[in-house]
Amino acid sequence: MIVKVADLKQYLYCPRIIYFTYVAPVEKKVTAKMAIGKEEHYATVRLEERRRLRAYGLSEGERHFNAYFYSERLRLEGVLDMYIVTPRGNFPVDFKNACRVALNHKYQLVAYALLLEDHFGRPVRGGFIYLIPRKQVHYLEITPEARLYTKKLIGAVRNLVAREHFPEVPRRSGRCADCEYRNYCGDVL
Ligand code: SF4
């Protein structure tokens, strides 16, 4: 199974989403919030194309947008919002419709870093998360621990699908209130 970078985010939000995506697929409702989020995302890409690199603390570099990457070694794929090629190295950039950097954003970024590394054969030491509502750029170091955990997550997604395991409700069940799969989870309050 080829895992998508977005699957890691979903897995961390709730593993059941992986079950509903791959094991017993259901139709999910696209909420108004999601549609607006997508539009804001595109608008950010359009703006970013005209912006300077200063926000990223870089003096020079070449930006590339919406790039598809696949790693045969990891059997992982994803479309990266942006990456910057500089003499100092390559940096993945992920745009998020969020006001703070969450854990699942971090591991998505690490997964993109792994894809960039495999594609260019150059180590990636850091990357950026751009928070759209705040217009803020956050630098994250790609640590050995984060790499290891990301690889474990890729394995966990694959394992869940192979075993066709229906996971428990996440401990933070507050997430269910906003979830587009809520109709399929009869056991949540
Ligand atoms: S409603 Fe809750 S348990 Fe069901 S998929 Fe969504 S977050 Fe997971």
Side-chain angles (χ1 to χ4, degrees):
M1 172 196 175
I2 297 168
V3 175
K4 295 178 171 49
V5 173
D7 293 336
L8 306 184
K9 180 183 80 173
Q10 302 289 36
Y11 182 87
L12 286 170
Y13 188 83
C14 175
R16 275 192 187 179
I17 298 178
I18 298 298
Y19 183 90
F20 290 135
T21 304
Y22 294 107
V23 182
V26 295
E27 213 178 305
K28 72 171 180 179
K29 267 203 273 167
V30 177
T31 60
K33 194 175 151 193
M34 285 165 72
I36 292 168
K38 227 173 191 170
E39 193 34 57
E40 281 175 354
H41 208 94
Y42 292 136
T44 303
V45 171
R46 287 195 297 271
L47 269 179
E48 188 65 42
E49 281 168 344
R50 300 198 295 267
R51 207 173 266 153
R52 292 179 198 280
L53 284 169
R54 210 176 40 205
Y56 299 94
L58 299 168
S59 52
E60 55 177 326
E62 212 176 88
R63 277 169 302 178
H64 301 264
F65 295 92
N66 293 321
Y68 171 83
F69 290 103
Y70 169 67
S71 161
E72 179 63 41
R73 182 178 66 92
L74 299 165
R75 283 189 301 133
L76 178 73
E77 67 178 1
V79 177
L80 178 52
D81 288 331
M82 184 173 105
Y83 67 95
I84 310 171
V85 176
T86 80
R88 279 171 47 200
N90 300 336
F91 298 89
V93 184
D94 201 8
F95 301 149
K96 292 290 177 207
N97 276 304
C99 290
R100 61 179 187 87
V101 176
L103 210 62
N104 56 7
H105 301 157
K106 173 179 165 180
Y107 290 110
Q108 251 189 314
L109 188 75
V110 178
Y112 284 127
L114 296 177
L115 285 177
L116 268 187
E117 278 184 350
D118 276 14
H119 184 81
F120 290 105
R122 260 180 113 179
V124 173
R125 300 199 170 82
F128 300 95
I129 291 177
Y130 180 83
L131 299 177
I132 297 172
R134 293 183 181 261
K135 297 186 172 49
Q136 268 176 9
V137 173
H138 291 260
Y139 177 77
L140 291 178
E141 193 188 338
I142 311 294
T143 63
E145 295 76 22
R147 287 166 192 271
L148 199 64
Y149 187 66
T150 304
K151 286 178 190 164
K152 278 189 185 160
L153 278 177
I154 298 168
V157 169
R158 210 167 265 139
N159 199 21
L160 189 158
V161 175
R163 286 172 43 229
E164 302 191 353
H165 168 67
F166 189 59
E168 297 295 319
V169 177
R171 263 179 294 163
R172 292 170 61 186
S173 56
R175 294 174 175 188
C176 302
D178 271 344
C179 179
E180 62 264 32
Y181 292 96
R182 199 186 153 100
N183 287 349
Y184 303 101
C185 290
D187 55 344
V188 301
L189 299 174

